[in-house]
Amino acid sequence: MSPRIGLNLSMIVQAAIQLADEQGVQAVTLSVLAQQLKVRSPSLYNHIDGLPGLRREMALAGLQQLKETIMMAAVGRAGDLAIREVFRAYLHFVRQHPGLYEATLYVPEQLDEQLEQLSQQILELVRQVLSAYHLTDAQMIHATRGLRSILHGFSSLERSKGFALKEDVDESFEWILNVYVQGLKAMGQSTNA
């Protein structure tokens, strides 16, 4: 194979994301990616620091897109409407980009400031949306963990075809969302009582 002229980091990451969305993040290897890009594997090392470097770049791209998705869902909305739109946007993101979402779960061996910064920005967006419920600091942490657990758990089970019962999956999602919102309201009211 002759070297591909104009190969750059962005092209490599986009090809890896597409492969991950189609086949799962574990299917993304440097040899498969090089074959897809019609280059030799060593050519990739001119742009990335091996497979860990590629996984990091994919995680950065995924977290950035997830942050933008959440931001767009929340902008101009507050309270119940904001949290509902964030839930729906998150699930839509995972459905559209299952491999990229999976890449956001990458945990580097050492602290990575860019990954940490993006994660904190997402957390802050969620906290802003949840602030309408007037939760205590501890409740805010619980609510944030609950939101992530619900969204990650639901989307993971859906991706792995774990919902075999006859009821509509989207109806189940809305039901869970309603229960979560009602719980937030109850917690906020008990705090302010």
Side-chain angles (χ1 to χ4, degrees), residues 128-155:
Q128 287 174 13
V129 170
L130 291 172
S131 68
Y133 297 97
H134 308 290
L135 303 171
T136 66
D137 289 344
Q139 289 171 334
M140 182 69 77
I141 291 170
H142 300 318
T144 302
R145 286 178 179 162
L147 182 142
R148 184 174 186 211
S149 298
I150 291 167
L151 291 170
H152 177 72
F154 190 94
S155 59

Side-chain angles (χ1 to χ4, degrees), residues 166-191:
K166 67 177 184 168
E167 296 300 326
D168 182 73
V169 173
D170 288 329
E171 285 181 30
S172 294
F173 184 77
E174 291 298 321
W175 189 88
I176 294 165
L177 173 53
N178 288 334
V179 170
Y180 181 79
V181 168
Q182 291 304 316
L184 288 175
K185 287 180 180 179
M187 291 306 294
Q189 288 169 356
S190 69
T191 301

Side-chain angles (χ1 to χ4, degrees), residues 38-148:
K38 298 181 178 18
V39 297
R40 295 175 195 238
S41 295
S43 299
L44 299 175
Y45 286 90
N46 293 327
H47 306 280
I48 56 169
D49 188 16
L51 190 57
L54 178 61
R55 297 243 194 256
R56 176 188 182 272
E57 292 298 329
M58 292 172 68
L60 287 169
L63 288 170
Q64 182 64 40
Q65 283 189 38
L66 183 58
K67 180 183 99 169
E68 290 168 9
T69 297
I70 291 171
M71 195 179 326
M72 292 303 297
V75 73
R77 298 176 177 96
D80 295 355
L81 180 58
I83 198 69
R84 288 176 191 282
E85 291 303 313
V86 165
F87 259 74
R88 291 175 185 132
Y90 189 107
L91 182 61
H92 181 74
F93 173 79
V94 176
R95 286 174 172 172
Q96 293 296 315
H97 299 288
L100 181 58
Y101 172 72
E102 195 177 348
T104 66
L105 305 175
Y106 170 74
V107 178
E109 291 182 19
Q110 298 177 348
L111 179 68
D112 186 302
E113 288 184 25
Q114 280 185 290
L115 287 171
E116 184 65 26
Q117 183 180 24
L118 273 172
S119 295
Q120 288 301 316
Q121 289 170 2
I122 292 170
L123 179 61
E124 185 54 35
L125 283 171
V126 170
R127 290 177 63 85
Q128 287 174 13
V129 170
L130 291 172
S131 68
Y133 297 97
H134 308 290
L135 303 171
T136 66
D137 289 344
Q139 289 171 334
M140 182 69 77
I141 291 170
H142 300 318
T144 302
R145 286 178 179 162
L147 182 142
R148 184 174 186 211

